[in-house]
Amino acid sequence: MEWMRLRGCAVLLAGLLSVTAAADGEPLCMAVAEGSSGQSDLGKVRDKYRPLADEIARSAGRPVKIKVLSFGALLQTIKQGDCELVYTRTSYIAGWAIRDMQYKLLAANEGTKQVVFIAPSGRQYGSVRDLRGLRLAIPEPQSDLTKVAYAMLRDAGVKPEELKLQPTSLQDSIVFGVESQLSDAGLLTSNSKAAKEWEKKGGAWAIKSRPLPNWSFLASPKLAASEANRLQSALLAISQSSVGKKALQDVNLANLVAAKPADYTAIVDWVGPPQGS
């Protein structure tokens, strides 16, 4: 069929352009989307990732430019393939990119994470059913935390309308709301800085989700296979040097390891795809 022939030509052309760009040493675009566990100052986020980008550039043989994105901008970038490398902390968006947009999973932060519900001192909840009628501080709708919480409520037979939802932009703000008893519960990511500080102060995790695959790096389907493989090797080896290990620590990454795409696609199958995808 004519459309299949044209699509094949387009894919071949994209691959040739990618190889040419790599050969010419053109900058590689790395999209960074920290989601609700990140900072609001995009300049600070970009500076924080600069050492990691430099380590990737050294191994890839191409300079790396950093593009810090919101949830909405991340979805557009994935759809359009504007960046060859994507780093996202949002498991179901990674799963959607792998399942529906043909992105390749290159590496992930070691271990798993969970969505945790925190509560004021003295409050205990046995399950999400106990949250009916209570104030729950949640990040924006596209966040892993909110999507997973909605899936947990759905599975427990609880409608979101049965709770008093309090949309809150960042996890630090969610902690403040719970500590000040302005919220009866709040959502955090277990491996976020906010969650770790909450535990250090003696705070408990009232309810936990099932384990979720960790923060991940993805390659655009527009990137040539040889270039994607080179990037993957660079990411998996980055912790072997003291400089690389420090670059990972600067962005709250422990160690990058190979991961299973099926773990990510299982999450998007559970919680559903991004809105507007």
Side-chain angles (χ1 to χ4, degrees), residues 78-100:
I78 290 174
K79 286 179 184 178
Q80 296 170 3
D82 292 340
C83 285
E84 295 93 336
L85 181 62
V86 172
Y87 169 66
T88 176
R89 292 182 173 182
T90 311
S91 303
Y92 84 95
I93 289 181
W96 164 73
I98 294 165
R99 187 191 70 181
D100 298 350

Side-chain angles (χ1 to χ4, degrees), residues 78 88 90-103 105 144 213 216 218 261-269 272-274:
I78 290 174
T88 176
T90 311
S91 303
Y92 84 95
I93 289 181
W96 164 73
I98 294 165
R99 187 191 70 181
D100 298 350
M101 306 304 293
Q102 290 74 55
Y103 275 66
L105 177 62
D144 246 0
S216 58
L218 311 171
D263 290 344
Y264 292 84
T265 57
I267 298 303
V268 73
D269 289 343

Side-chain angles (χ1 to χ4, degrees), residues 141-162:
Q142 298 279 35
S143 166
D144 246 0
L145 285 74
T146 302
K147 293 281 282 189
V148 168
Y150 279 6
M152 292 172 69
L153 291 169
R154 179 199 64 213
D155 293 349
V158 180
K159 296 179 180 179
E161 308 88 75
E162 296 181 71

Side-chain angles (χ1 to χ4, degrees), residues 34-39 89 113-114 116 118 137-139 143-145 168-178 186-196 198 215:
E34 290 193 328
S36 61
S37 62
Q39 296 173 293
R89 292 182 173 182
K113 62 178 184 176
Q114 290 174 287
V116 296
I118 62 171
I138 61 171
S143 166
D144 246 0
L145 285 74
T168 310
S169 58
L170 297 174
Q171 292 191 35
D172 288 341
S173 302
I174 289 174
V175 170
F176 174 80
V178 172
L187 300 177
L188 300 179
T189 306
S190 61
N191 57 356
S192 67
K193 182 180 177 183
K196 291 173 182 177
W198 175 262
W215 305 338

Side-chain angles (χ1 to χ4, degrees), residues 247-271:
L248 291 175
Q249 291 172 350
D250 287 347
V251 295
N252 203 26
L253 289 168
N255 183 38
L256 296 181
V257 297
K260 299 176 181 178
D263 290 344
Y264 292 84
T265 57
I267 298 303
V268 73
D269 289 343
W270 177 40
V271 308

Side-chain angles (χ1 to χ4, degrees), residues 54-253:
D54 288 343
E55 282 299 291
I56 295 171
R58 185 179 59 79
S59 298
R62 294 173 64 182
V64 175
K65 63 179 181 181
I66 302 168
K67 196 173 181 181
V68 183
L69 303 174
S70 64
F71 282 116
L74 173 63
L75 297 183
Q76 282 301 112
T77 294
I78 290 174
K79 286 179 184 178
Q80 296 170 3
D82 292 340
C83 285
E84 295 93 336
L85 181 62
V86 172
Y87 169 66
T88 176
R89 292 182 173 182
T90 311
S91 303
Y92 84 95
I93 289 181
W96 164 73
I98 294 165
R99 187 191 70 181
D100 298 350
M101 306 304 293
Q102 290 74 55
Y103 275 66
K104 178 181 178 179
L105 177 62
L106 299 181
N109 195 28
E110 193 171 34
T112 58
K113 62 178 184 176
Q114 290 174 287
V115 172
V116 296
F117 294 69
I118 62 171
S121 178
R123 288 281 188 99
Q124 292 185 339
Y125 305 121
S127 76
V128 292
R129 295 184 184 90
D130 297 334
L131 300 176
R132 283 188 171 102
L134 300 183
R135 300 165 299 177
L136 176 65
I138 61 171
E140 61 183 286
Q142 298 279 35
S143 166
D144 246 0
L145 285 74
T146 302
K147 293 281 282 189
V148 168
Y150 279 6
M152 292 172 69
L153 291 169
R154 179 199 64 213
D155 293 349
V158 180
K159 296 179 180 179
E161 308 88 75
E162 296 181 71
L163 285 70
K164 298 172 184 175
L165 300 176
Q166 299 173 316
T168 310
S169 58
L170 297 174
Q171 292 191 35
D172 288 341
S173 302
I174 289 174
V175 170
F176 174 80
V178 172
E179 286 180 330
S180 306
Q181 300 200 26
L182 299 172
S183 303
D184 299 304
L187 300 177
L188 300 179
T189 306
S190 61
N191 57 356
S192 67
K193 182 180 177 183
K196 291 173 182 177
E197 290 180 351
W198 175 262
E199 275 197 299
K200 282 181 184 178
K201 292 186 287 188
W205 295 351
I207 306 169
K208 296 184 287 187
S209 75
R210 75 194 209 190
L212 306 171
N214 222 329
W215 305 338
S216 58
F217 287 86
L218 311 171
S220 165
K222 291 185 178 180
L223 194 64
S226 58
E227 186 79 355
N229 292 337
R230 189 179 301 115
L231 277 176
Q232 185 172 42
S233 297
L235 289 166
L236 294 177
I238 211 160
S239 63
Q240 294 177 7
S241 72
S242 58
V243 175
K245 190 173 293 185
K246 175 66 165 54
L248 291 175
Q249 291 172 350
D250 287 347
V251 295
N252 203 26
L253 289 168

